[in-house]
């Protein structure tokens, strides 16, 4: 098990990159601590697989260092890095039995045969494939094959880390949920550094203690699911986490804060001060649907809005309200009754009103 430090890392697949857009990984500095259960979450194409392949040594980064427990491993082959990697699609030997497939990584590492037997049994039990051990891998279903592929990653006890690259993509939803729980259980039992790549926020938060959100070749936030929800560090995190995501409004500076159209939003003196120091005109206000309040009567700091649409999602509703040219989504209780076209009063608690400049949160240091 090791701490994995990615230091001033950047990677371009192009031989002569001409700008940031030619980089799959852009200026990244990140530490995966020893023994953590982490998720790497981001949309397709943001660089997740590239990062895993750089850690395991399948890809040589064009800039920066990969350090395991402080030791540079850039020059080490994947084999010498001692990393187990599980891919989206099963990587197994069809002509071997399940037992032979699971034993293979251990045999390669000269583990004594008595221990191989025990360990294969242990992993097969966790993955619930003990009854398949003597079956030829080619006769397995797609789900079972992927379980064996995961087993091959989990079986070694001496690895620095296990990297999972969207390993449950081919697995049916029911089993997916169960396997994710299993992985979590395996993490607790064996205390291995695990990095789990996914583009699914639910999958990330059920597996990981901490999530790295990746966007456009950068880690834009590394935090607990609660931190990502309550304090999105970047507009992308606000938008990507949550369902629906954060409301984001383009605004411009005003005397007491910011405004859009004739709507003034008062900011805290601290936020106003920060804003005054920055030149950018890319300013946004962000607030989550869960934190907006809708009232029948006006409050001191409320805005009159029109109900545009309402979606009933069983245990709650999402109301779309129009505030000038903006449509905001608001989450309300299931018993909230209101007619489309009616007018309500909306307020945005300052505690939950986030200010973004150039897409990054302007955050008061606590
Ligand atoms: P993710 O796993 O998040 O979907 P990838 O790491 O696979 O993202 O890809 C990041 C970017 O690098 C994408 O723009 C992708 O097209 C590009 N890319 C990935 N692999 C290669 C490759 N072997 N050669 C050239 N470009 C690649
Ligand atoms: Mg990928």
């Amino acid at each position: 098990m090791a701490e994995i430090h990615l230091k001033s890392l950047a990677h371009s697949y192009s031989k002569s990159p001409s700008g940031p857009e030619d980089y799959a990984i852009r200026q990244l500095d990140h530490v995966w601590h020893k023994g953590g259960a982490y998720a790497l979450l981001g949309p397709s194409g943001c660089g997740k697989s590239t990062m895993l392949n750089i850690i395991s040594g399948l890809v040589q980064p064009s800039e920066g260092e990969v350090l395991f427990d402080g030791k540079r491993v850039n020059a080490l082959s994947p084999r010498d890095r001692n990393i187990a990697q599980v891919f989206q699609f099963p990587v197994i030997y069809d002509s071997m039995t399940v037992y032979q497939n699971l034993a293979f990584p251990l045999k390669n590492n000269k583990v004594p045969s008595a221990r191989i037997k025990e360990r294969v049994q242990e992993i097969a039990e966790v993955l619930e494939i003990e009854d398949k051990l003597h079956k030829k891998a080619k006769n397995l279903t797609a789900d079972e094959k992927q379980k064996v592929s995961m087993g091959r990653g989990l079986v070694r006890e001496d690895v620095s880390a296990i990297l999972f690259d969207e390993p449950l993509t081919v697995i049916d939803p029911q089993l997916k949920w169960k396997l994710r729980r299993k992985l979590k259980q395996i993490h607790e039992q064996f205390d291995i550094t695990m990095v789990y790549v996914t583009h699914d926020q639910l999958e990330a938060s059920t597996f990981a203690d901490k999530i790295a959100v990746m966007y456009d070749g950068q880690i834009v936030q590394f935090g607990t699911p609660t931190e990502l929800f309550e304090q999105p560090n970047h507009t992308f995190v606000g938008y990507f986490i949550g369902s629906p995501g954060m409301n984001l409004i383009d605004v411009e500076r005003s005397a007491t804060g910011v405004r859009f159209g004739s709507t003034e939003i008062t900011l805290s003196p601290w936020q106003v001060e920060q804003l005054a120091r920055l030149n950018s005109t890319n300013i946004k206000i962000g607030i989550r649907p869960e934190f907006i309040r809708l009232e029948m009567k006006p409050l001191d700091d409320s805005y009159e809005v029109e109900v545009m649409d309402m979606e009933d999602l069983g245990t709650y509703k999402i109301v779309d309200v129009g505030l000038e040219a903006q449509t905001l989504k608001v989450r309300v209780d299931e018993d909230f009754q209101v007619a489309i076209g009616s007018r309500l009063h909306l307020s945005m608690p300052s505690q939950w009103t986030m200010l973004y400049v150039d897409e990054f949160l302007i955050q008061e240091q606590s």
Side-chain angles (χ1 to χ4, degrees), residues 1-7 9 28-36 38 51-52 54-56 65-71 73 81-84 159-163 192-195 222:
M1 220 192 318
E3 173 197 276
I4 299 169
H5 185 175
L6 305 173
K7 197 171 171 192
L9 195 74
L28 194 144
D29 216 278
H30 188 74
V31 177
W32 301 107
H33 292 286
K34 203 178 271 206
Y38 299 113
M51 188 200 283
L52 288 202
I54 287 173
I55 295 172
S56 65
E65 293 185 298
V66 181
L67 307 169
F68 288 180
D69 286 333
K71 220 181 85 215
V73 298
R81 291 192 194 191
N82 234 357
I83 295 269
V159 289
S160 300
I162 309 182
L163 312 177
I192 314 164
T193 312
M194 289 188 178
V195 182
F222 183 46

Side-chain angles (χ1 to χ4, degrees), residues 96-100 102 124 127-137 139-141 144-145 147-148:
M96 292 187 189
T97 63
V98 171
Y99 183 94
Q100 288 165 333
L102 294 177
L127 293 170
E128 295 176 24
I129 47 174
E130 336 65 299
D131 59 333
K132 307 279 182 321
L133 280 175
H134 299 291
K135 242 180 151 172
K136 278 262 165 44
N139 297 327
L140 301 176
T141 64
E144 291 164 350
K145 282 187 182 176
K147 280 192 183 181
V148 176

